[in-house]
Amino acid sequence: AGAGVAGAFSMTFGKVITTAVEDPPKAAELWVTWLALGVLVASAPTQLWLLNWALGSGKASFTVPLYTVMIISTNIVLGGLLFDEFACLSRAYLFVCAFVMVVVGVCLLSWGQERAKRLAAGPASGGEQPG
């Protein structure tokens, strides 16, 4: 999940930078350009490290969908907040309900995956005994 959030930050703040450099002299003077560059430099390698770590320690059939859901959901929220993309949204409550359902679903999937890992590990590693 963290890799998806870091990826969304990379993409969103990359968009901030590309938007800002349309007027290079002014962009260099704005603090938000430098903040966006700092966030991009920090989040891009973090995204790659977290994604590699997640793929190395878990199943790709779980990690990739979780990553995809988190990167898309976080991108939608960040884009809506930073670029005023929610301005034309007439039924915001539907978006909020759908977003909460996605986040709760991802949390339940993560919880179920961790529980399955503990059960498979058995009592030697502190896992629960089925039954």
Side-chain angles (χ1 to χ4, degrees):
V5 173
F9 271 82
S10 297
M11 292 169 65
T12 303
F13 285 96
K15 182 178 177 182
V16 169
I17 292 169
T18 57
T19 303
V21 296
E22 290 175 358
D23 186 8
K26 186 175 180 182
E29 297 172 7
L30 296 174
W31 64 270
V32 74
T33 305
W34 296 105
L35 175 68
L37 184 62
V39 171
L40 178 63
V41 166
S43 63
T46 303
Q47 169 198 3
L48 294 174
W49 182 81
L50 287 171
L51 184 57
N52 284 330
W53 178 78
L55 287 169
S57 64
K59 292 183 178 180
S61 61
F62 173 73
T63 301
V64 173
L66 177 65
Y67 171 76
T68 305
V69 164
M70 291 309 295
I71 199 168
I72 291 171
S73 299
T74 308
N75 254 333
I76 290 169
V77 171
L78 287 174
L81 295 175
L82 295 176
F83 299 107
D84 202 27
E85 293 173 354
F86 292 147
C88 62
L89 190 62
S90 61
R91 297 182 189 157
Y93 65 92
L94 290 176
F95 171 77
V96 171
C97 289
F99 184 74
V100 167
M101 285 181 9
V102 167
V103 170
V104 167
V106 166
C107 289
L108 289 173
L109 286 172
S110 295
W111 175 76
Q113 183 76 6
E114 286 301 315
R115 186 168 185 271
K117 273 187 193 179
R118 283 194 309 270
L119 288 173
S125 63
E128 299 174 18
Q129 227 5 280

